[in-house]
Amino acid sequence: MVEGGVTTADKTEFTECWKTVWKTPYIMRLAFSAGIGGLLFGYDTGVISGALLYIRDDFEDVDKNTWMQETIVSMAVAGAIIGAAFGGYMNDRWGRRVAILGADIVFFLGAIVMAAAPNPWVIIIGRILVGLGVGMASMTAPLYISEASPARIRGALVSTNGLMITGGQFLSYLINLAFTKAPGTWRWMVGVAGIPALVQFVLMLSLPESPRWLYRKDRVDEARAILEKIYTAHEVEDELNALKLSVDAEKADEAALGEGMIAKVKSALKNRVVRRGLYAGITVQVAQQFVGINTVMYYAPTIVQFAGFASNSVALSLSLITSGLNAVGSIVSMCFVDRYGRRRLMLVSMIGIIFFLVILSVVFMEAASHAPKISGIESAHFGSNSSCSAYLTATDAPRWSCMTCLKADCAFCSNAASEFHPGACLDSSKVVRGECRAENRVFFEKGCPSKFGFLAVILLGLYIISYSPGMGTVPWIVNSEIYPLRYRGVGGGIAAVANWCSNLIVSESYLSLTEALGAGGTFLVFAGISTISLIFIYFLVPETKGLQFEEVEKLLEDGYRPGLFGRKKQKSKDQVEST
């Protein structure tokens, strides 16, 4: 998953984290309970990719309508944009705990609505509700963890939220696979999501509000009581003093900038340092989505079917590779981002992404050009009523291949002897699908039989390996460091909205692009956009590794010249004059 904030931590911090939670298990209880929000986020991202295969089987108007499939997937993203905005208001007004409880209720209702949906439009309503819950949880869970954690292990504990997101994605693929043979298939897949939401709701009822929020609301005694459960006795007063300084500074900033969001945004955009920070922050957030990652996370089984694997269960099994590699990549990023730097990881990541997208494009194009031919004898075997009407009336029917058949909104029924021999071009209705399968043939609706199939899956895995450690997590880290403290909330919020909106554009257009350009052409488009993104990252994004926030602000104030794997400050005016 790719849309939640990730905070990194080094090896020392993880060691200290283990020691601290061993002595004070209450801290881990807080972090784990809130971190279930990340699990919900990841689960919802992954579950729809498998559920969509069976929703198409149950509702023929979905199977025949690319726009409807895209809408079912992307409406959760649209809901998340609204949920994130409303979640920010809830966080300030009623607190982090209430916001998480509210997210659980909305998410649970959305899961139930989807599971019981009698038609596709009710599924879409359920997806919007789930998206609202995801948006609220995606911004609240890391905030609650960070504010309820000791400062010395805060990064390590917040990192658990990122792991829960990728873990939730992996779990969703396992759940999808488990229910492939169950009656109701997709209804169980989407309905199971309500269980962790219910578990988190029950756990959060017994947990306190964020001590920072309580202190901000002048409920000092309640904040002290919570801090006494988190810190040792001699640390509590120090933490209260730190809270006082932080809250006083925050209130002073509000007085200077104005309390309204519009006033804060206007003030931010007038500031040269913030504008330069936004150039970098928005660039990496938009690039994160336009490399095409959520086409893989939302449509992975469908892409596997494009590669020539017709079986839903096989497509889901192979999709586990992408989800598992994404989770592993998050851990790799946590280990190397402080050693090699944010900029270097992103540049190397983008180069790998572009390379594998181009190779994927070539493989899918080759697969399309070598698709099995259509046999008139095989098609006639099923009778004219079952054959594809476009094929029967085509003047160039002898030159038709499986790919031509699929582009005509028909389906390819494989040859009885081999999938790679000429087969039949048939109508893609459920009845005809049953006739094809009754003869132990394979019915292809999304992709054609291909000897390149396993190569495509391997390349998809290599694409994920290139993406996850760099562009998967680093953009969120950059956005947590690139803005001056008083503008961090505004800058991060603008960049996050850019991320969600880019996500919506990609997820809503992918299947339409594939329909128009083919899988190979679509991956080539993403490779082109990724190349442009690489250029923007190279020129606009500085290295922030090891810099204090004040140093980052000074770097943006002075300007910088791009270095391949690091940063080079521009010469100051005095230095220029002296030379």
Side-chain angles (χ1 to χ4, degrees):
M1 237 231 139
V2 290
E3 300 89 349
V6 179
T7 298
T8 187
D10 59 23
K11 183 178 179 181
T12 302
E13 192 169 351
F14 277 108
T15 303
E16 181 65 24
C17 178
W18 174 253
K19 292 179 180 178
T20 302
V21 298
W22 182 261
K23 295 178 182 177
T24 315
Y26 183 75
I27 297 172
M28 182 52 72
R29 181 183 165 195
L30 290 172
F32 173 78
S33 299
I36 295 176
L39 182 74
L40 295 176
F41 187 174
Y43 187 90
D44 178 71
T45 302
V47 72
I48 194 62
S49 62
L52 185 63
L53 302 179
Y54 296 93
I55 292 172
R56 292 197 319 239
D57 287 347
D58 276 7
F59 299 108
E60 198 160 333
D61 50 342
V62 174
D63 191 39
K64 301 292 185 182
N65 191 328
T66 298
W67 177 82
M68 181 69 78
Q69 294 174 42
E70 292 171 331
T71 301
I72 288 173
V73 170
S74 62
M75 279 303 99
V77 180
I81 296 172
I82 300 170
F86 184 65
Y89 173 78
M90 286 189 69
N91 271 285
D92 290 339
R93 177 77 175 175
W94 295 297
R96 289 54 162 141
R97 176 174 171 269
V98 172
I100 292 175
L101 291 171
D104 288 332
I105 292 172
V106 175
F107 194 99
F108 182 81
L109 289 175
I112 297 303
V113 168
M114 285 191 295
N119 60 62
W121 288 105
V122 178
I123 297 176
I124 290 172
I125 293 172
R127 290 288 292 164
I128 293 173
L129 288 173
V130 164
L132 288 170
V134 164
M136 293 164 64
S138 68
M139 66 167 300
T140 307
L143 188 62
Y144 180 87
I145 295 171
S146 67
E147 293 182 349
S149 305
R152 62 184 179 276
I153 61 169
R154 185 168 295 144
L157 288 178
V158 177
S159 292
T160 62
N161 186 67
L163 289 175
M164 292 286 265
I165 292 173
T166 52
Q169 291 170 341
F170 186 72
L171 176 64
S172 70
Y173 282 92
L174 289 176
I175 295 294
N176 282 349
L177 200 56
F179 285 112
T180 53
K181 303 298 182 183
T185 54
W186 64 269
R187 297 183 185 276
W188 286 104
M189 294 173 183
V190 297
V192 164
I195 295 176
L198 184 61
V199 170
Q200 184 179 45
F201 184 86
V202 173
L203 291 174
M204 290 303 298
L205 286 175
S206 63
L207 293 176
E209 182 51 79
S210 155
R212 179 182 176 81
W213 184 85
L214 290 172
Y215 196 97
R216 184 76 170 76
K217 297 297 180 180
D218 296 322
R219 294 160 63 176
V220 180
D221 291 339
E222 293 178 60
R224 180 191 294 272
I226 297 166
L227 292 174
E228 287 174 348
K229 296 181 179 180
I230 299 173
Y231 291 90
T232 59
H234 69 278
E235 293 177 319
V236 172
E237 289 303 323
D238 290 340
E239 186 61 22
L240 280 170
N241 290 334
L243 269 180
K244 182 179 186 306
L245 291 173
S246 177
V247 170
D248 287 348
E250 188 178 288
K251 289 180 178 179
D253 285 338
E254 286 182 358
L257 303 177
E259 293 189 9
M261 181 56 67
I262 295 177
K264 291 180 179 178
V265 171
K266 285 182 177 179
S267 177
L269 295 178
K270 290 178 182 177
N271 187 295
R272 182 174 60 176
V273 172
V274 178
R275 286 201 307 273
R276 287 176 174 172
L278 283 171
Y279 296 153
I282 292 176
T283 292
V284 296
Q285 292 286 36
V286 172
Q288 185 191 63
Q289 295 302 320
F290 276 101
V291 299
I293 183 58
N294 276 327
T295 63
V296 177
M297 299 316 298
Y298 293 145
Y299 298 108
T302 302
I303 294 173
V304 171
Q305 289 186 332
F306 288 156
F309 298 94
S311 166
N312 287 348
S313 58
V314 171
L316 283 171
S317 298
L318 292 174
S319 298
L320 275 172
I321 297 172
T322 62
S323 182
L325 290 173
N326 194 35
V328 172
S330 298
I331 299 173
V332 172
S333 177
M334 290 161 57
C335 295
F336 290 102
V337 73
D338 280 327
R339 179 179 301 178
Y340 296 110
R342 289 80 163 116
R343 178 180 166 84
R344 178 180 296 183
L345 276 185
M346 285 192 293
L347 291 176
V348 172
S349 178
M350 287 297 294
I351 291 170
I353 286 168
I354 294 166
F355 176 78
F356 288 115
L357 281 175
V358 170
I359 300 301
L360 268 169
S361 175
V362 171
V363 167
F364 274 101
M365 287 179 178
E366 282 295 306
S369 66
H370 291 85
K373 299 297 183 182
I374 298 299
S375 165
I377 296 175
E378 288 289 318
S379 299
H381 170 75
F382 290 92
S384 58
N385 290 334
S386 298
S387 294
C388 171
S389 57
Y391 171 72
L392 293 176
T393 58
T395 57
D396 61 342
R399 293 197 298 272
W400 272 41
S401 69
C402 168
M403 194 58 65
T404 317
C405 179
L406 297 189
K407 287 181 178 178
D409 289 329
C410 295
F412 179 80
C413 182
S414 68
N415 191 294
S418 170
E419 293 179 359
F420 305 113
H421 290 174
C425 184
L426 305 178
D427 184 68
S428 59
S429 66
K430 285 185 178 180
V431 174
V432 176
R433 182 195 307 156
E435 292 175 2
C436 174
R437 291 176 176 173
E439 296 189 9
N440 294 319
R441 301 175 181 228
V442 183
F443 198 70
F444 293 86
E445 296 177 88
K446 295 300 176 184
C448 294
S450 173
K451 295 179 180 178
F452 297 96
F454 277 109
L455 177 60
V457 173
I458 291 169
L459 288 169
L460 207 58
L462 293 173
Y463 162 81
I464 291 290
I465 290 173
S466 298
Y467 168 86
S468 186
M471 291 305 297
T473 55
V474 177
W476 295 99
I477 298 171
V478 168
N479 272 277
S480 71
E481 299 172 334
I482 201 73
Y483 310 108
L485 180 61
R486 60 190 177 279
Y487 292 108
R488 191 155 300 142
V490 175
I494 293 173
V497 169
N499 183 288
W500 281 110
C501 290
S502 302
N503 186 342
L504 179 61
I505 292 169
V506 171
S507 58
E508 182 65 34
S509 63
Y510 173 68
L511 292 180
S512 296
L513 279 173
T514 303
E515 203 169 73
L517 304 175
T522 303
F523 281 124
L524 196 59
V525 168
F526 285 132
I529 296 174
S530 297
T531 301
I532 296 171
S533 300
L534 174 63
I535 295 170
F536 273 82
I537 291 172
Y538 178 80
F539 283 105
L540 295 177
V541 184
E543 179 57 75
T544 57
K545 182 192 79 168
L547 298 181
Q548 298 294 329
F549 291 132
E550 294 78 13
E551 292 177 302
V552 174
E553 188 170 347
K554 184 67 166 59
L555 171 64
L556 293 174
E557 177 70 33
D558 294 342
Y560 61 93
R561 288 200 304 265
L564 182 57
F565 292 131
R567 62 179 180 83
K568 296 180 181 178
K569 291 184 179 180
Q570 286 182 341
K571 292 182 179 180
S572 67
K573 184 178 180 181
D574 292 336
Q575 288 173 314
V576 172
E577 291 175 352
S578 66
T579 57

